[in-house]
Amino acid sequence: MTGKADIIRPKWHFALKKGWLNDPNGLVWFKGEYHLYFQCNPYGNEWAMMHWGHARSKDLIHWEECGAALLPEKEYELWQRGGCFSGSLIVYKERLYAFYTAVSSKDGEILQTQCMAYSDDGCHFERAAENPLIGRCPCPDSHDFRDPKVIYHNGRWQMLCGGSSGDAEDRRSHGRIYLFHSEDLLHWDYDGILYEAKDGEGSMFECPDIFPLGDHWVITASPMNRTDFQGTIYMTGLVNFKNCIFYVESSGTLDFGPHYYASQAYRDRYGRLISMAWLGGWEWMPWIRDHGPSEEDGYRGVLSYPRLLSEARDGALKMRSYSSVDDAAREEGELIRKIARGTSAELFRGEEPVRIRGSIERSMGTNLIQFRFMDEDSHCIRVCLDFLFGSISTDFTEADPWIKNGRKLYKAEIGGEDEIPFELIRDGNVLELFLFDGRYAVSSMIYPSGGKFRLLIGNKGAGIKLRYSVSGS
Ligand code: FRU
């Protein structure tokens, strides 16, 4: 790997002091604080022998790392390439129940079973004596089978599990979401396949999630080998749990960037829906050659900034960066700036974590607006809004050497918009951009040489006017 990277620890994002981290597995407000659980290997910065890590927070931004909540210790989860895989968490009668996939190997066969552990304090978990609650997947031609998500609906517990019709690595396999139900959290009945991917939609659906939003259900998943490489997709529609049917009405992606994987939706202490994801990806993804240079600092993996989820007028999902109720009232000084026809201007240059919120006004004569995120060596990520063709493109071809995400074009319903609200967070090695009140988002890890980060905004056409405010740590 060439190029000098600056490894800057994020201050507002959760990362381990040492060790490997991937998917978030649960987040609850429980007994006066938030408890966050996630996939981790505390002994090294390589993925191996998965534990459920644990951290606590009062505000979802500043975290205290705690000892692991689930350490692989039972026969059904003791394996170097296995352990306690992803899942979800519920609170029932003042007790936490963690559902996870135990992965082990016997006579060369990989066993993925669904298990449960419970806790009364969020720190110490007891395995259910009945584990594994679900052994082999009852679907006859199933292959992979993991990542249980449990919710309460229709007077009983419902569980979604990710799966595949064949080997997950085989591009001809189709990702699946299985449905189960239970009256007592221990005995689970199989309902069937709630969704099966069509050609090109992915060979395995990892970390499925489900939550109600407005009049619809939203299902998200992280597909392996999807032909358009979207990290986390969403589908909205109606779910008939009794007959195991999902009528999909619309679909999209949670993020256009290379790094937003295994998102799960949670409730904050005020009952608002938030999404958090792993800002990372796997080696089989074309843009991941390794996991970036943060290993030199002894850790790998960062979780996203929490995002408030809401529904746009047309049923699409919107995600704004999290602000607590107190935060929302805080005033920030507003700057106003005009950028002349066909030119661009620098809005920010600095090393410290920064959050820039603003709005761009364009006249109908301005067809193109471009965001450029640059470092001192002119590495550059471009996000371009094309109002004539109704598209958003991301261009990583000149990005720092750790991100090989190329150029991608997405259809976006922006043609008629003349006001473009945006928000940007740059925190250490993380970049998150929200456009149009969070209807479109772009997240990426960045390793700016020189440590400094620059934001430039430009236009093609009649010029733009900007109002924005900058806040720091
Ligand atoms: C998703 C995933 C899950 C699995 C976990 C293992 O990133 O591959 O499907 O449970 O990570 O760490």
Side-chain angles (χ1 to χ4, degrees):
M1 188 61 69
T2 54
K4 187 196 158 303
D6 269 80
I7 308 156
I8 315 153
R9 269 185 180 270
K11 291 189 180 157
W12 304 331
H13 290 74
F14 181 70
L16 289 172
K17 290 192 188 78
K18 295 270 170 224
W20 166 275
L21 166 149
N22 54 288
D23 318 347
N25 291 150
L27 173 65
V28 279
W29 177 258
F30 184 63
K31 301 192 175 167
E33 54 192 349
Y34 288 108
H35 294 264
L36 170 70
Y37 304 91
F38 45 86
Q39 292 284 279
C40 76
N41 170 19
Y43 311 110
N45 50 34
E46 296 293 338
W47 182 90
M49 182 73 92
M50 279 296 103
H51 291 49
W52 270 41
H54 176 210
R56 291 192 290 206
S57 168
K58 292 277 184 197
D59 62 3
L60 290 177
I61 312 297
H62 304 94
W63 295 97
E64 177 206 340
E65 210 176 301
C66 310
L70 292 177
L71 289 92
E73 57 186 30
K74 301 282 184 194
E75 201 192 335
Y76 49 78
E77 61 201 22
L78 261 183
W79 184 40
Q80 190 57 18
R81 307 288 305 155
C84 305
F85 273 26
S86 283
S88 61
L89 198 96
I90 53 141
V91 185
Y92 179 55
K93 293 190 176 164
E94 292 291 294
R95 179 169 267 189
L96 292 180
Y97 293 84
F99 290 86
Y100 66 99
T101 303
V103 182
S104 60
S105 164
K106 204 170 174 201
D107 305 327
E109 193 196 354
I110 298 174
L111 301 171
Q112 303 186 2
T113 62
Q114 315 314 322
C115 293
M116 187 263 277
Y118 55 90
S119 168
D120 292 325
D121 62 3
C123 300
H124 306 94
F125 281 79
E126 192 74 43
R127 302 288 193 287
E130 294 82 352
N131 278 347
L133 305 183
I134 309 175
R136 282 177 198 284
C137 179
C139 182
D141 65 342
S142 81
H143 206 270
D144 288 56
F145 176 46
R146 58 178 179 268
D147 308 339
K149 169 75 187 193
V150 176
I151 60 163
Y152 191 74
H153 180 69
N154 271 359
R156 58 195 198 185
W157 300 99
Q158 316 275 354
M159 181 196 284
L160 262 55
C161 268
S164 59
S165 61
D167 186 345
E169 307 286 337
D170 184 342
R171 285 166 187 275
R172 288 166 305 181
S173 303
H174 289 193
R176 283 178 176 172
I177 298 176
Y178 298 111
L179 180 67
F180 295 79
H181 70 268
S182 166
E183 306 288 338
D184 62 1
L185 292 173
L186 291 173
H187 303 91
W188 292 89
D189 290 327
Y190 176 60
D191 295 299
I193 301 173
L194 185 62
Y195 186 79
E196 174 146 335
K198 301 183 186 58
D199 285 348
E201 284 187 345
S203 59
M204 157 76 197
F205 275 180
E206 300 198 297
C207 301
D209 188 18
I210 183 164
F211 52 90
L213 193 66
D215 301 337
H216 313 274
W217 285 97
V218 180
I219 292 188
T220 67
S222 286
M224 289 174 72
N225 297 314
R226 196 181 152 96
T227 43
D228 60 10
F229 299 117
Q230 292 177 7
T232 304
I233 52 140
Y234 72 81
M235 298 178 279
T236 61
L238 304 174
V239 178
N240 180 328
F241 286 88
K242 205 157 170 282
N243 299 320
C244 190
I245 301 172
F246 179 31
Y247 306 95
V248 183
E249 288 174 343
S250 63
S251 58
T253 176
L254 291 190
D255 204 285
F256 289 157
H259 299 132
Y260 199 78
Y261 202 76
S263 156
Q264 292 282 307
Y266 310 103
R267 299 268 170 198
D268 76 353
R269 58 183 297 196
Y270 311 106
R272 297 176 302 174
L273 261 181
I274 52 177
S275 153
M276 271 178 95
W278 169 38
L279 293 173
W282 296 111
E283 280 90 343
W284 50 263
M285 295 170 169
W287 57 93
I288 307 267
R289 299 289 150 82
D290 58 30
H291 292 280
S294 72
E295 63 170 317
E296 288 165 34
D297 201 6
Y299 78 101
R300 271 175 170 168
V302 178
L303 293 187
S304 73
Y305 201 82
R307 298 175 177 189
L308 284 165
L309 280 165
S310 60
E311 199 182 5
R313 278 192 306 269
D314 58 358
L317 280 194
K318 290 210 301 195
M319 300 197 296
R320 283 182 295 123
S321 83
Y322 186 78
S323 50
S324 72
V325 171
D326 318 334
D327 226 30
R330 213 171 52 205
E331 286 281 309
E332 285 160 9
E334 191 178 63
L335 304 163
I336 297 184
R337 187 122 177 219
K338 279 195 174 144
I339 302 179
R341 153 191 298 271
T343 64
S344 60
E346 184 174 280
L347 259 67
F348 178 82
R349 179 191 287 243
E351 284 171 43
E352 285 304 305
V354 67
R355 183 168 174 148
I356 304 173
R357 291 192 176 109
S359 192
I360 306 173
E361 244 176 66
R362 73 163 186 124
S363 66
M364 285 303 157
T366 302
N367 292 328
L368 216 95
I369 295 178
Q370 194 180 57
F371 289 74
R372 273 184 295 157
F373 309 104
M374 303 189 67
D375 68 11
E376 298 287 279
D377 265 352
S378 303
H379 291 128
C380 178
I381 297 172
R382 290 166 214 268
V383 176
C384 199
L385 317 185
D386 188 326
F387 296 89
L388 203 59
F389 291 102
S391 67
I392 297 181
S393 62
T394 58
D395 187 350
F396 288 79
T397 47
E398 291 168 50
D400 65 63
W402 285 270
I403 304 138
K404 302 278 179 207
N405 201 35
R407 189 164 186 277
K408 299 221 163 72
L409 187 70
Y410 301 93
K411 199 174 159 350
E413 307 289 329
I414 61 174
E417 306 287 344
D418 47 18
E419 185 82 35
I420 302 110
F422 71 94
E423 180 171 355
L424 171 108
I425 296 180
R426 183 274 162 128
D427 176 26
N429 294 116
V430 177
L431 175 70
E432 288 165 299
L433 173 69
F434 303 90
L435 294 164
F436 298 97
D437 276 333
R439 179 160 181 171
Y440 305 106
V442 182
S443 303
S444 180
M445 297 300 289
I446 48 165
Y447 300 99
S449 30
K452 270 210 185 96
F453 166 83
R454 300 166 62 200
L455 165 65
L456 290 94
I457 296 189
N459 79 100
K460 265 193 195 153
I464 47 178
K465 190 172 157 193
L466 281 145
R467 294 170 182 280
Y468 64 101
S469 59
V470 179
S471 53
S473 46

